[in-house]
Amino acid sequence: MKKKHIYYTAIIALFFLAGCKEKKETAPISVPEENTNISTDSVIPIEETEVEEVREKEEEFLLTEENAIDFFFNYSKTITEDKVKITTSLGSFTVQLYDNVPYHKANFIYLAKKNYFENTLFHRVVKNFIIQGGSTDNREVARKRRTIGRYLLPPDTRKGYRHHRGTLSVPSSDIDNPHKLASPYEFFIVVTKPGAYHLDGNYTPFGRVIQGMDVVDLINNQPVDSGDWPKQNIFILKTEVLE
């Protein structure tokens, strides 16, 4: 296990690049006549002076590409909860997280307890495919990311989980990223019936919707612009970690 930690840390250190920019419209990977790919997470731009101000606060812990794997490995051992209720401006639904995808489960619960997701948006909605959330174009979310840290998560695609309808999964980061290292801040939920199986092996399923799939469908049915951004903002109002 220790060698695996070192391996993941080495991968993340190699491929993590600072200065990623967030755009209101997250551009999907180009596929002719089809929009059934996952857009990458675009990190909100952060001024270097702002980063330095945070680093100067000795009492504040920041996640980085160097410490994230060890942190979440240890944090996962302290978690007893496996469900998160997500309340949106269109209703609420509950997801159950898989125990044997520990880094992603720990990261999602950690962010939920930090109230990161509150006032973020479902910013990409593709009809009969996915809803993608956890980002927005306002500075408050940039501030939240700045105070939590900048890091990526290792892919974990070999646990036997597939992208069935209702699956909770993560996009890869918007960087030169051949190893598909995962965004820690965004997630998507599959709406396709019976599933979006072309995503298997490329993205990490780490949970599933166990209640409120009708709300997920309602979000998926909202009108969107040409960049898949809902014409009416769909906010995540609250996340509650449940036993």
Side-chain angles (χ1 to χ4, degrees):
M1 184 61 72
K2 184 176 180 181
K3 290 182 178 179
K4 184 180 291 186
H5 302 161
I6 295 172
Y7 170 73
Y8 283 145
T9 304
I11 291 179
I12 291 174
L14 181 62
F15 292 99
F16 182 89
L17 297 177
C20 304
K21 296 182 178 179
E22 174 161 341
K23 299 175 287 184
K24 180 179 179 182
E25 299 179 359
T26 49
I29 302 169
S30 177
V31 175
E33 300 180 358
E34 243 187 316
N35 193 12
T36 58
N37 287 269
I38 303 303
S39 69
T40 54
D41 173 26
S42 300
V43 178
I44 298 168
I46 300 172
E47 298 294 334
E48 285 301 318
T49 54
E50 295 175 325
V51 174
E52 290 303 321
E53 287 175 3
V54 173
R55 287 175 178 168
E56 287 173 1
K57 298 179 181 179
E58 295 181 354
E59 72 280 4
E60 188 162 21
F61 172 72
L62 285 177
L63 285 164
T64 68
E65 65 270 30
E66 288 84 14
N67 66 20
I69 297 302
D70 286 338
F71 173 80
F72 285 119
F73 175 75
N74 293 318
Y75 185 74
S76 68
K77 297 177 181 178
T78 70
I79 294 173
T80 58
E81 310 95 333
D82 68 350
K83 300 178 186 68
V84 179
K85 182 179 179 181
I86 300 172
T87 300
T88 80
S89 50
L90 292 177
S92 63
F93 59 89
T94 300
V95 297
Q96 184 171 34
L97 309 179
Y98 302 141
D99 290 331
N100 63 342
V101 190
Y103 296 111
H104 296 271
K105 175 185 177 182
N107 175 74
F108 197 77
I109 288 179
Y110 181 76
L111 293 181
K113 289 184 175 181
K114 287 279 189 180
N115 299 320
Y116 164 74
F117 295 110
E118 294 182 6
N119 295 318
T120 62
L121 301 170
F122 281 99
H123 58 282
R124 184 173 185 244
V125 170
V126 183
K127 181 74 171 176
N128 296 322
F129 178 40
I130 57 98
I131 63 173
Q132 186 169 334
S135 189
T136 182
D137 56 358
N138 68 43
R139 297 299 300 175
E140 173 62 18
V141 172
R143 186 196 64 79
K144 286 184 180 181
R145 292 188 181 195
R146 190 165 62 246
T147 58
I148 293 170
R150 303 188 71 173
Y151 60 101
L152 297 176
L153 296 174
D156 198 351
T157 61
R158 298 183 179 182
K159 296 296 173 61
Y161 298 115
R162 304 196 66 192
H163 285 83
H164 299 299
R165 170 174 160 83
T167 293
L168 180 69
S169 190
V170 287
S172 56
S173 181
D174 187 18
I175 62 173
D176 182 11
N177 190 11
H179 287 270
K180 292 288 186 179
L181 299 181
S183 161
Y185 290 114
E186 294 189 19
F187 62 91
F188 66 88
I189 298 173
V190 176
V191 177
T192 309
K193 299 178 181 179
Y197 303 121
H198 67 288
L199 302 178
D200 294 348
N202 292 317
Y203 304 93
T204 300
F206 69 102
R208 63 189 180 94
V209 176
I210 60 171
Q211 186 175 3
M213 193 63 194
D214 58 325
V215 174
V216 175
D217 288 333
L218 178 61
I219 294 171
N220 188 247
N221 284 324
Q222 298 307 300
V224 299
D225 64 19
S226 60
D228 302 323
W229 190 284
K231 292 183 177 180
Q232 185 72 31
N233 284 338
I234 305 168
F235 287 95
I236 296 176
L237 303 176
K238 187 177 183 181
T239 52
E240 301 169 78
V241 178
L242 311 174
E243 291 289 345

